[in-house]
Amino acid sequence: MYSDFEKCSAFIFIFEFTLILPLISAANLGAYVGINIGSMMSNLPSAADIVLILKAQQIKHVRLFDANHQMLGALANTGIDVMIGVPNDQLLRIGNSRSEAADWINKNVAAFVPETNITYIAVGNEILTSIPNAALVLVPAMQFLQSALVASNLNLQVKVSSPLSMGMIPKSFPPSTATFNSSWNSVMSQYLQFLVNTGSPLMVNAQPYYGYIKGQGIYPLEYALFQPLNPNNQIVDPNTNFYYDNMFDAMVDAAYYSMQSLNFTGIPVIVTASGWPSQGGANESDATVDNALIYNSNLVRHVLNNSGTPSQPTTAVSTYIYELFNEDLRPGPVSEKNWGIFFSNGTAVYSLNFGNQAVSKPDPTGLVGIFCVANPSADTNALKKGLDWACGPGEANCTAILPGEPCYDASNLVALASYAYNDYYHRMQTSGGTCNFGNTAMISTTNPSHGSCVFAGSSGPSNSTDSSSAFGPSSSYVVAQRLQRLCLALLLQIVLCSLFDI
């Protein structure tokens, strides 16, 4: 028999392990950036040539809109994760027949794994908004495909979901009040319950380009392009006081809140399409190469930093860029044909780096001896809001002011805010960042560094420049928060043990 002490020790160990394991898994996995590969073009490159481009660009995740066997064969043994799609015109057949679904899985999944690493099946694309008559077979199709995966012992490797359009959320801002179109509540409840039952993510096509265009001047272009906004003109959800410095995060949060409105939580979101067109017609002046490069470069950085969203700061959002090639056969305006990073001949429309953008250090501002600090006479609540913004949407690296770190001082809000304000200012000054924070900050030439707490702008090395993320809340900040919660939980267990006089 085990003693009470041994039982309690074992309990604490199990408790530690179950909390730390997800933390380790999250750190190892992180978010990824993939790419969509469409085929509506006059001169589609061969599957082998497409794979060569993917390898050259270090792209490890792709989304196919069908289950093209040439592509699946070419992707074998490449280490590239593949999302395949059930085309919309096949949905009715599969959703009405369990045997058709099983046949589809056998031909398009089982025949190619494990050599081809198929990880997701996207059932249709924006079905509820593009083919509403097929709504009633959407969930049955997903269920039949899932059953076929179970029968083939592939259900743990391959997850089933269906990409939704943001059109499913009639009013996406403020995110906290977002809901799915109530006409589809019954279908959406079944769809979300399926995701819960199978551990699958919600797939959303989030395109800030369309949100910006439809806004007709409501939102600044910078907001859509992940560019810094003036601290005096931040976009805030009035119900949560969350600051949104980019439209992408607002769209993703709208999806989270829409799920919550139907009483579903804990379902992760994957963005299955997001990008920006590089060319448009006469009335599409914002569809330019420069804007496409800015948007997609900032999107890559944002995703790879695992920064999450204001409402889900510790939940990273993997994203597939739309798209690899311009598709000249797509119907619609000029912009519809020009979302690609490459032309069909393999030459680049613009140069996009899919590599280690998340670990690049911020560019030096050259502002040595200049510091952005909190005004000691500022209102305490205003300072707190400024600090929260700087360490959240402002994307300052606030690791040094966490408990136990060199700049932490629980009794000095001005000092904490000063560090955060200064870090933000030195990161963002060259791209439009200012020292204001609701009139709670000011420029100073007095170096506030002390001891081992070194502010950016000092002549010596600065802790802030050692950040692993110049474009989002640092991963160490997120991990520190989780570790704090872990420590509190462990303390509780020790207290419980002491209650039994162990």
Side-chain angles (χ1 to χ4, degrees):
M1 297 294 292
Y2 294 103
S3 68
D4 287 341
F5 178 79
E6 289 172 326
K7 291 178 182 177
C8 188
S9 299
F11 181 79
I12 290 177
F13 174 79
I14 294 171
F15 191 80
E16 283 182 297
F17 186 76
T18 56
L19 284 176
I20 292 175
L21 185 59
L23 208 166
I24 295 173
S25 299
N28 288 340
L29 296 177
Y32 60 81
V33 175
I35 199 157
N36 288 257
I37 304 177
S39 58
M40 296 181 67
M41 63 187 76
S42 303
N43 298 297
L44 179 67
S46 69
D49 287 341
I50 292 174
V51 170
L52 288 177
I53 293 174
L54 297 174
K55 289 181 176 179
Q57 297 298 312
Q58 303 179 54
I59 297 172
K60 300 295 185 182
H61 304 266
V62 300
R63 176 193 176 193
L64 308 179
F65 289 90
D66 54 16
N68 182 279
H69 286 193
Q70 285 73 33
M71 277 301 303
L72 291 176
L75 288 164
N77 303 308
T78 61
I80 296 174
D81 291 345
V82 185
M83 177 188 297
I84 59 175
V86 176
N88 288 356
D89 60 7
Q90 296 181 23
L91 184 67
L92 189 63
R93 176 170 56 86
I94 291 174
N96 279 313
S97 172
R98 188 179 296 273
S99 62
E100 288 284 356
D103 184 59
W104 196 92
I105 291 296
N106 288 333
K107 290 181 178 177
N108 301 307
V109 181
F112 291 93
V113 295
E115 290 78 12
T116 303
N117 192 27
I118 299 172
T119 54
Y120 290 108
I121 299 174
V123 183
N125 186 52
E126 303 185 351
I127 290 295
L128 299 181
T129 49
S130 61
I131 316 177
N133 290 338
L136 294 180
V137 298
L138 175 59
V139 176
M142 297 168 67
Q143 293 171 333
F144 290 161
L145 291 168
Q146 175 70 14
S147 295
L149 289 172
V150 171
S152 300
N153 292 319
L154 295 173
N155 56 301
L156 296 180
Q157 174 184 338
V158 185
K159 295 300 179 181
V160 177
S161 187
S162 180
L164 302 178
S165 162
M166 283 301 298
M168 274 294 295
I169 306 173
K171 186 181 178 183
S172 60
F173 200 93
S176 61
T177 62
T179 61
F180 294 118
N181 185 327
S182 59
S183 301
W184 302 116
N185 277 358
S186 176
V187 173
M188 283 305 302
S189 292
Q190 297 173 50
Y191 167 68
L192 294 174
Q193 188 61 57
F194 172 87
L195 300 184
V196 171
N197 294 344
T198 60
S200 302
L202 178 76
M203 294 179 173
V204 177
N205 296 336
Q207 299 284 25
Y209 173 76
Y210 292 129
Y212 169 71
I213 296 300
K214 292 176 182 176
Q216 297 182 331
I218 295 177
Y219 303 107
L221 180 61
E222 292 82 1
Y223 178 61
L225 295 175
F226 292 93
Q227 292 182 310
L229 298 173
N230 188 308
N232 288 330
N233 297 308
Q234 296 303 314
I235 296 173
V236 184
D237 185 324
N239 302 305
T240 61
N241 288 326
F242 288 145
Y243 287 78
Y244 287 89
D245 60 356
N246 67 82
M247 190 178 291
F248 177 87
D249 280 352
M251 287 180 164
V252 174
D253 267 356
Y256 278 119
Y257 283 111
S258 294
M259 287 191 283
Q260 289 180 26
S261 73
L262 293 177
N263 299 316
F264 287 90
T265 59
I267 301 173
V269 170
I270 284 183
V271 174
T272 37
S274 191
W276 199 277
S278 62
Q279 183 180 345
N283 62 340
E284 299 176 302
S285 59
D286 294 300
T288 67
V289 170
D290 286 344
N291 286 345
L293 175 59
I294 291 169
Y295 179 83
N296 282 327
S297 294
N298 286 336
L299 175 64
V300 170
R301 293 185 181 102
H302 186 71
V303 171
L304 294 185
N305 279 320
N306 299 318
S307 53
T309 64
S311 81
Q312 307 288 328
T314 61
T315 304
V317 183
S318 294
T319 301
Y320 293 79
I321 290 177
Y322 185 81
E323 59 183 331
L324 189 62
F325 298 112
N326 282 338
E327 294 185 273
D328 61 306
L329 299 182
R330 289 189 65 85
V334 175
S335 62
E336 281 298 303
K337 310 172 192 297
N338 290 281
W339 290 74
I341 298 169
F342 289 89
F343 296 107
S344 60
N345 63 7
T347 60
V349 178
Y350 52 88
S351 179
L352 180 66
N353 178 15
F354 282 82
N356 301 316
Q357 296 202 37
V359 298
S360 60
K361 294 183 179 180
D363 293 331
T365 63
L367 298 176
V368 177
I370 302 296
F371 305 93
C372 175
V373 297
N375 187 335
S377 62
D379 176 76
T380 299
N381 290 331
L383 276 177
K384 180 63 168 60
K385 289 182 180 179
L387 175 61
D388 289 343
W389 184 89
C391 294
E395 301 179 348
N397 176 20
C398 295
T399 304
I401 57 175
L402 290 174
E405 298 299 327
C407 298
Y408 176 70
D409 186 348
S411 63
N412 195 336
L413 178 61
V414 171
L416 298 177
S418 292
Y419 186 90
Y421 288 2
N422 188 66
D423 188 86
Y424 167 85
Y425 182 64
H426 278 264
R427 288 171 181 278
M428 300 299 187
Q429 189 270 340
T430 56
S431 55
T434 61
C435 180
N436 188 284
F437 299 94
N439 296 318
T440 65
M442 59 187 185
I443 294 294
S444 172
T445 56
T446 301
N447 189 346
S449 301
H450 53 278
S452 57
C453 176
V454 182
F455 277 55
S458 303
S459 57
S462 169
N463 291 342
S464 68
T465 58
D466 292 333
S467 166
S468 63
S469 166
F471 297 89
S474 67
S475 58
S476 58
Y477 175 73
V478 173
V479 170
Q481 288 182 315
R482 294 181 181 179
L483 287 175
Q484 282 182 311
R485 290 195 291 270
L486 172 61
C487 290
L488 289 173
L490 292 176
L491 180 60
L492 175 61
Q493 297 310 310
I494 292 172
V495 171
L496 289 175
C497 287
S498 67
L499 291 177
F500 291 98
D501 297 324
I502 296 174

